[in-house]
Amino acid sequence: MKKSHLGSLASLSVSALVLSACGSFANSVTVPVASSAKPLLSDSALTNGAVVSPNQMWVTAKSLTYWELFLWSNTTKSAKMISPVGISGEGGLAIAYDPGKYGVIGFYPYQSMLHSPLIVTKDGGYHWNSSSFGGSLAPVKDAIGLSDSTIFLVAMTSNGRILEEAPSSAAGAFRTLPFPVAGQIDGIAGISNGVVAQYSSGGTYHLAIYSSQSGQWSMSTITSPNPISMSSAPVKTSGVSSTEEVSICSSRGSSLTLGLVSPTGVITSSVVGSPNSQAVPVACTVDSNNLPQALLRGSGGKMAAVTSSGATTKLGSSLIGAGAFVQLQSHSLVLAPFNNGVHMIDLQSGIDFGGPVDTILSKIASSFG
């Protein structure tokens, strides 16, 4: 295994970004030839981020036809491209991280790559190990969820979407985890001892919570006519300790529900007024005060951020796709595609770092303390 090495992302050219020359991968993989690859997901749905530690984050970005993974360190004020060598990211990336423990990256299938390579890292992405998953990730943004000991994923079969699980060591084989109700699984998020799954049935979205300890599912009373956004987030419980919880947000008219799913499956939620009667949540997280926070897209694509305390930050840019929140130390960062490109916005300072991603990260380097 060789350690990846790359200087500040700001110094990279576009041609260098396209080459997955960083990261290391345990097994040599032949990249399939695809002259006209067509990803299952739209480009806008693949902009994503994840918290690695309080001062590190993963972000995904596209260069030409390839999606790549970058590790940003707020300690060194620099970024490294950590995409594994030998796997093409043309179909897009699914990522998940259990802060301070391990992370997983999955590659969505595309034209001639029918299966989805799934690889695991325990050091932020400097070294990778392959998993035993031999199927295809389903075309949902949140296709991977992590608990302390288990990798969960949404797979695509000829009969529809199924939920699978495997030990986090990636040494064991994946097995199907029976889903308790009829409905299409639309995304998952991991809690420390299980997973939260969103599913749709009859035009309504619901939540189901699985406990690895009891081996049982519980059904949430929260439902929504719009998709329910979910995000795994480290929530401080006392002092500097933290536990992995899932933040959720859903909307019904001008009523916005924000909440947290605890590792024991208990949901605490509050209902606040939406700044726009047509607002739909597209991402959520917790802020520096451990309050659930939602990113909303309103009429005309206008964006706003709302916390469960009712505090609203209106942002004028038009959002054209799904977005992601990344909490980096005291900064709540919105990473999302707008009508003039991908942007990253710091809600605390109001700074819009703009795009492309190399410009974003170089600006962060000079702005964050």
Side-chain angles (χ1 to χ4, degrees):
M1 302 285 274
K2 63 183 181 68
K3 186 174 181 179
S4 63
H5 178 75
L6 194 65
S8 172
L9 183 59
S11 65
L12 295 179
S13 65
V14 170
S15 60
L17 287 177
V18 183
L19 301 175
S20 298
C22 296
S24 54
F25 187 56
N27 301 317
S28 176
V29 177
T30 301
V31 178
V33 176
S35 58
S36 58
K38 294 182 179 179
L40 290 175
L41 301 178
S42 67
D43 292 350
S44 60
L46 295 169
T47 302
N48 211 345
V51 177
V52 176
S53 70
N55 64 348
Q56 289 183 312
M57 65 179 175
W58 277 0
V59 293
T60 60
K62 192 176 186 182
S63 180
L64 299 181
T65 61
Y66 295 87
W67 283 89
E68 304 287 1
L69 179 64
F70 301 92
L71 171 69
W72 165 260
S73 169
N74 203 39
T75 301
T76 63
K77 302 295 188 294
S78 63
K80 295 179 184 293
M81 186 171 66
I82 58 172
S83 301
V85 172
I87 307 176
S88 173
E90 285 187 279
L93 309 177
I95 62 174
Y97 213 101
D98 189 0
K101 300 181 181 70
Y102 70 106
V104 175
I105 176 175
F107 293 77
Y108 289 102
Y110 65 92
Q111 198 170 43
S112 58
M113 187 169 75
L114 302 180
H115 290 166
S116 296
L118 194 75
I119 48 182
V120 182
T121 180
K122 293 187 177 180
D123 59 8
Y126 293 95
H127 301 90
W128 298 97
N129 290 296
S130 60
S131 81
S132 60
F133 178 60
S136 299
L137 287 177
V140 297
K141 180 184 176 185
D142 299 313
I144 303 174
L146 308 179
S147 75
D148 287 347
S149 60
T150 306
I151 299 171
F152 299 92
L153 60 83
V154 185
M156 196 70 194
T157 71
S158 58
N159 295 321
R161 299 172 190 172
I162 61 173
L163 186 60
E164 298 205 347
E165 63 172 347
S168 58
S169 62
F174 278 83
R175 70 178 184 91
T176 300
L177 179 62
F179 201 62
V181 293
Q184 177 165 271
I185 303 173
D186 296 298
I188 57 176
I191 50 179
S192 59
N193 64 348
V195 69
V196 181
Q198 177 184 181
Y199 68 97
S200 54
S201 177
T204 304
Y205 293 87
H206 310 261
L207 292 179
I209 306 163
Y210 177 75
S211 168
S212 298
Q213 292 179 341
S214 67
Q216 301 294 317
W217 286 91
S218 59
M219 315 309 292
S220 167
T221 58
I222 294 178
T223 62
S224 174
N226 299 306
I228 301 171
S229 291
M230 303 188 299
S231 177
S232 297
V235 177
K236 290 183 179 179
T237 53
S238 62
V240 295
S241 64
S242 63
T243 185
E244 190 75 1
E245 303 198 32
V246 170
S247 57
I248 58 172
C249 48
S250 64
S251 64
R252 185 184 299 273
S254 60
S255 175
L256 176 67
T257 298
L258 296 95
L260 287 173
V261 183
S262 74
T264 58
V266 176
I267 295 181
T268 57
S269 63
S270 59
V271 179
V272 297
S274 167
N276 188 306
S277 61
Q278 303 299 317
V280 175
V282 295
C284 56
T285 187
V286 293
D287 62 16
S288 57
N289 296 315
N290 293 332
L291 293 174
Q293 187 170 226
L295 174 65
L296 308 177
R297 182 176 64 242
S299 58
K302 297 299 182 181
M303 186 181 75
V306 180
T307 66
S308 56
S309 66
T312 300
T313 303
K314 292 187 177 181
L315 302 167
S317 301
S318 293
L319 184 65
I320 61 172
F325 261 121
V326 182
Q327 188 70 30
L328 187 66
Q329 293 180 327
S330 61
H331 300 269
S332 291
L333 301 173
V334 172
L335 178 68
F338 297 93
N339 51 10
N340 59 343
V342 174
H343 286 237
M344 181 175 280
I345 300 172
D346 182 354
L347 294 184
Q348 275 65 36
S349 66
I351 296 175
D352 184 344
F353 294 103
V357 73
D358 55 344
T359 304
I360 290 174
L361 296 179
S362 65
K363 289 181 179 178
I364 289 176
S366 61
S367 301
F368 282 10

